C-alpha cells in the first residue's frame, strides 16, 4: 500500500493519455477534477493486487460514452459515486476497493476520484492495460467475470441497473442507454471478489502510467528526448516517424472512426503509414504492410513534445512518432484475440505480436 | 371480490381487443396462454379498486414492444413473473395485487396470467381505459405516479431495472432497451400503494371488457347484430360505415404507423373516412372533417361479425363499422390532453369530446 497524492495526478493523467493509444478520452478534465477533489479528501490508498483480500468486493468505476461528447460536457462526478453506492445496495455487500476498467485515457483517473470521494482504496491495476471502446472488451471478460450487475446513471439522476446473460449483452443494452442519456453515462460494473480480480487484472497499471507520465515530464524539463523517454519507460518500440497528411474522421454510433495517413520523415522518408482508428488506433500499416495491430497499443506522440495525440484530435501537418506497446499476455490467447484481435474490429488481418521482427511474417493489408 | 375463471377468458380477450382501439396487440395468444395457465392454477381473485387496502402495493405487469413482433414470437410468460418478483426484491416490500397498465389488447390479459402464476389477486381496473403506444401515457402519470422502479426482462434472461426522474425518461430509456431485447420485453412497473392506485386507475376495466366480449359472443350466437351489441355495451357511438380501399402502413421505430381510407356505404355513401394510426387508431376524419380523436377510443369492427380490426391487420376490401368510445374523464383534463391529446401524437387539431354533437365545432383537418 502507498498513498496517491494530489500532486502526482498530472503525471498519472499524462501516463493514462499515452496508454490510451489514441482513445479513452482526454484525461485533462479528469486531472483537474481529481486534483480538486483529492486536495479536499486527502490522498487515496493505492493497493497492490496482492494486498486485496480474497473475499473483498472490488468494483470498477468508469464513464461510458463517446470521448468527443465527454470533452464537451464535464459530467457531475457525484453521480459516479452514486452509481457505486447503488451497486453496493443492489449487491447487499460492502465494496472494499475500486479498480479501473481501463487504464487508458479518462477512465484511468475516474475510479481514483470515486475512491477519494468514497474514502475507499484504489487497486493498482486495470482490466485492459490500455483503452478499448466496448465495455465487454476486458480481461475480466476473458476470465469469465460478469460485467453485471452494473449500474448506469446520468447527470439528471436517471439510473439503470443491468443484469445480463453475458458481457456482450451488457455492452449492447448499456450502449443504447448511454446514447439516450445524452452520450455519456457514469457506470459501476464488474463487481468481483479479490481473488477473481487478481486472476484477470493487469497488475501495476496505475504505477506504470505514473512512471510514464513522470519520465515524459522530466524529459521535457531536462534536455532528454521526450519520445525516447516514453518509449523506454513504457517498454515500447518505434514504428514510424512522419507528418499527418490526411485525416478522415466521423462520429458513427458513438465512436470516432476513421483513418490517418502519415508521410514518412527521416529514415522513413518515401514511406506512408496508414493508421486506422475506432476511438483508439487499432491498426498501423506502412506501405500496406501491417506493422502493428490491436490488442497491442499503438501510441502516436507529438515528435517534439512527446504529447500523446488522440485519434479524435489528430490533424493535418502534425509531426509525430508512432510507437507500439506490447499488450498484456492474456490478450494474446485465443480467447483474448477473439474478443479484441484485429478481426473483432472488422480488419481482415491476423494478429502478429509486436515483439516479432517487424520485417518478417507481417501480413499485407 | 369475485373469481375469474378460465372459461371467462375468451370473453375478456374479445373485450380487450375491442377496447384496444386497433392496437395493443392481438389478445388471442394471451387468451390461449391465460386459459392454459388458469386451468392449472385455478381461478384468479378479481378485486374492486375499493377492496384494495390503502397501504397494499399494486404493480402493473405488461409486455412492451411492437405488437407485430409479439405476434411473431410468443414470449415466455415465466419471465414476466420473474420481472414482478425482481421488482418486489428491489422494492423490498411484498406485492399485494397486480393491475393492467392498459386494458386494450394483449396487456389486458397479461397481468391476469402473472397473477395466476403468482397466486395474487388482480385489480378490476387499468391505467388507460384503452391502449396507448407509450408507457408514460397513463392516468398514473397524470396523477403523478412514477413508472419506476421498473423491471424489464427478455426471453434470454437479461434484466434491466430503471429508476428515472420522470415517466417520459422511462419511456425513452426502456424503448431502446426493448428494441435491443429483440422488440419485446416483459415489464413490471408503476408500483403504487392502494390509495394512489385508486386515485388514478379506471375502475371496472376488466369487468367492462368481459361484458363487451360477452355481448359480442351472445349476439353472434343469437340473431342480434354484433356491432350494435358492442356499441351499446361499450357506450359508444357510430362514426362511419364503409369499405377499406387503401391502407398505408409501416413499422417505424417499433410502431405500426399509417393511415387507412374507407369509402362509405349505406347512409355514408359518397363520403370517405381517413383513419390515422400509430399502433392504435388515433384520428378519424370524414371528408377531412375530424369526427373523433385520441384520447377517445376509435374502434373498427368487421361489419358482419363485429370482430375488432387491428390497425396492424387492416386490409383492402374489408367492410367495417367505425365506433367512437368516450375516454375516461381524467383524460379530458389539460394534463391528460397534453399527454395523449391529438397534438401529442403530431396531429395539428384540437380535441373535441366525442359526446359533443358531431356536426358542430369539429375542426377541419
Amino acid at each position: 500500500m502507498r498513498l496517491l497524492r494530489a500532486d502526482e495526478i498530472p503525471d498519472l493523467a499524462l501516463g493514462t493519455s499515452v496508454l490510451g493509444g489514441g482513445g479513452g478520452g482526454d484525461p485533462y478534465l479528469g486531472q483537474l477534477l481529481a486534483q480538486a477533489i483529492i486536495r479536499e479528501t486527502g490522498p487515496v490508498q493505492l493497493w497492490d493486487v496482492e494486498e486485496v483480500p480474497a473475499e473483498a468486493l472490488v468494483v470498477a468505476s468508469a464513464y461510458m460514452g463517446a470521448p468527443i461528447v465527454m470533452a464537451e460536457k464535464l459530467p457531475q462526478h457525484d453521480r459516479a459515486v452514486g452509481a457505486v453506492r447503488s451497486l453496493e445496495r443492489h449487491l447487499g455487500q460492502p465494496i472494499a476497493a475500486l479498480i479501473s476498467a481501463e487504464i487508458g485515457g479518462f477512465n484511468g483517473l475516474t475510479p481514483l476520484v470515486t475512491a477519494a470521494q468514497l474514502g475507499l482504496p484504489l487497486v493498482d491495476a486495470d482490466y485492459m492495460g490500455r483503452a478499448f471502446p466496448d465495455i465487454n472488451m476486458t480481461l475480466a471478460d476473458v476470465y469469465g467475470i460478469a460485467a453485471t450487475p452494473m449500474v448506469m446513471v446520468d447527470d439528471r439522476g436517471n439510473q439503470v441497473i443491468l443484469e445480463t446473460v453475458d458481457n456482450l449483452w451488457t455492452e449492447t443494452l448499456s450502449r443504447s442507454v448511454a446514447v439516450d442519456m445524452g452520450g455519456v453515462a457514469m457506470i459501476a460494473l464488474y463487481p468481483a471478489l479479490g481473488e477473481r480480480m487478481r486472476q484477470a487484472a493487469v497488475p501495476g497499471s496505475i504505477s506504470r502510467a505514473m512512471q510514464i507520465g513522470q519520465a515524459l515530464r522530466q524529459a521535457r524539463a531536462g534536455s532528454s528526448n521526450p519520445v525516447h523517454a516514453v518509449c523506454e519507460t513504457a517498454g515500447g518500440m518505434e514504428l514510424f516517424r512522419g507528418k499527418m497528411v490526411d485525416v478522415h474522421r466521423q462520429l458513427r454510433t458513438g465512436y470516432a472512426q476513421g483513418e490517418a495517413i502519415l508521410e514518412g520523415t527521416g529514415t522513413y522518408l518515401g514511406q506512408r503509414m496508414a493508421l486506422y482508428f475506432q476511438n483508439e488506433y487499432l491498426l498501423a500499416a506502412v506501405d500496406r504492410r501491417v506493422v502493428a495491430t490491436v490488442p497491442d497499443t499503438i501510441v502516436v506522440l507529438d515528435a517534439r513534445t512527446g504529447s500523446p495525440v488522440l485519434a479524435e484530435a489528430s490533424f493535418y501537418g502534425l509531426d509525430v512518432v508512432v510507437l507500439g506497446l506490447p499488450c498484456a499476455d492474456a490478450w494474446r490467447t485465443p480467447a483474448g484475440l477473439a474478443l479484441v484481435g484485429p478481426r473483432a474490429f472488422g480488419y481482415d488481418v491476423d494478429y502478429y505480436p509486436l515483439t516479432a521482427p517487424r520485417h518478417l511474417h507481417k501480413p499485407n493489408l
Side-chain angles (χ1 to χ4, degrees), chain A:
Chain A
M1 197 272 280
R2 48 154 300 199
L3 291 175
L4 206 157
R5 301 182 316 271
D7 61 8
E8 297 176 284
I9 290 166
D11 284 352
L12 174 58
L14 203 49
T16 63
S17 184
V18 170
L19 293 175
D26 187 343
Y28 183 66
L29 288 175
Q31 173 187 323
L32 296 181
L33 190 66
Q35 283 181 296
I37 285 175
I38 292 172
R39 278 200 194 106
E40 223 172 84
T41 62
V44 170
Q45 287 187 21
L46 192 65
W47 285 8
D48 286 341
V49 291
E50 291 78 19
E51 292 177 282
V52 181
E55 298 301 316
L57 183 61
V58 180
V59 159
S61 165
Y63 287 71
M64 176 175 188
I68 225 163
V69 176
M70 241 179 291
E72 282 169 4
K73 184 185 162 207
L74 184 63
Q76 292 178 34
H77 194 76
D78 288 354
R79 298 291 192 191
V81 172
V84 172
R85 282 289 178 229
S86 284
L87 183 55
E88 192 168 51
R89 267 196 308 279
H90 184 76
L91 293 167
Q93 191 186 342
I95 290 169
L98 295 177
I99 190 169
S100 281
E102 56 181 346
I103 190 62
F106 197 98
N107 278 331
L109 294 169
T110 305
L112 173 64
V113 186
T114 313
Q117 289 193 282
L118 287 170
L120 289 175
L122 175 69
V123 183
D124 187 3
D126 81 306
Y127 286 127
M128 294 186 189
R130 48 166 296 159
F132 274 125
D134 291 356
I135 60 174
N136 61 315
M137 293 177 169
T138 61
L139 291 166
D141 184 88
V142 171
Y143 282 91
I145 300 175
T148 66
M150 163 179 169
V151 176
M152 310 179 67
V153 296
D154 70 12
D155 261 357
R156 294 164 206 88
N158 290 309
Q159 176 178 295
V160 172
I161 305 176
L162 296 105
E163 291 192 33
T164 60
V165 293
D166 61 39
N167 296 341
L168 188 57
W169 271 107
T170 315
E171 165 61 24
T172 303
L173 296 173
S174 63
R175 190 64 54 184
S176 297
V177 171
V179 169
D180 282 339
M181 282 179 164
V184 181
M186 282 139 281
I187 61 178
L189 70 171
Y190 282 113
L193 295 184
E195 56 187 338
R196 297 296 315 275
M197 177 278 295
R198 256 201 299 280
Q199 266 192 311
V202 180
S205 300
I206 303 278
S207 300
R208 184 182 183 216
M210 289 175 69
Q211 285 154 11
I212 293 169
Q214 187 182 30
L216 179 51
R217 176 175 52 83
Q218 288 174 345
R220 280 175 185 169
S223 57
S224 50
N225 182 308
V227 170
H228 287 172
V230 169
C231 192
E232 197 167 301
T233 314
M237 57 200 301
E238 184 182 299
L239 300 173
F240 202 72
R241 287 178 170 260
K243 193 186 276 280
M244 295 239 174
V245 294
D246 210 355
V247 181
H248 298 283
R249 188 171 45 223
Q250 56 183 320
L251 192 65
R252 193 156 43 186
T253 62
Y255 299 117
Q257 295 191 338
E259 69 179 282
I261 305 296
L262 281 60
E263 265 179 10
T265 50
T267 53
Y268 300 90
L269 205 67
Q271 298 178 34
R272 287 170 79 92
M273 174 178 265
L275 272 173
Y276 298 86
F277 55 88
Q278 293 177 38
N279 285 11
E280 287 73 42
Y281 299 112
L282 298 180
L283 183 68
V286 174
D287 294 340
R288 303 191 67 75
R289 202 188 58 192
V290 175
V291 297
T293 79
V294 69
D296 290 325
T297 308
I298 299 167
V299 176
V300 178
L301 300 177
D302 181 302
R304 194 174 52 81
T305 64
S307 292
V309 178
L310 296 181
E312 70 189 59
S314 53
F315 60 90
Y316 176 83
L318 208 59
D319 255 321
V320 299
V321 183
V322 181
L323 305 180
L325 314 187
C327 64
D329 287 342
W331 279 136
R332 297 181 171 182
T333 60
L337 292 175
L339 189 60
V340 297
R343 292 186 196 283
F345 290 93
Y347 304 111
D348 191 22
V349 295
D350 288 327
Y351 169 71
Y352 287 80
L354 252 187
T355 42
R358 256 186 303 143
H359 57 284
L360 289 174
H361 311 306
K362 289 285 170 181
N364 285 324
L365 199 58

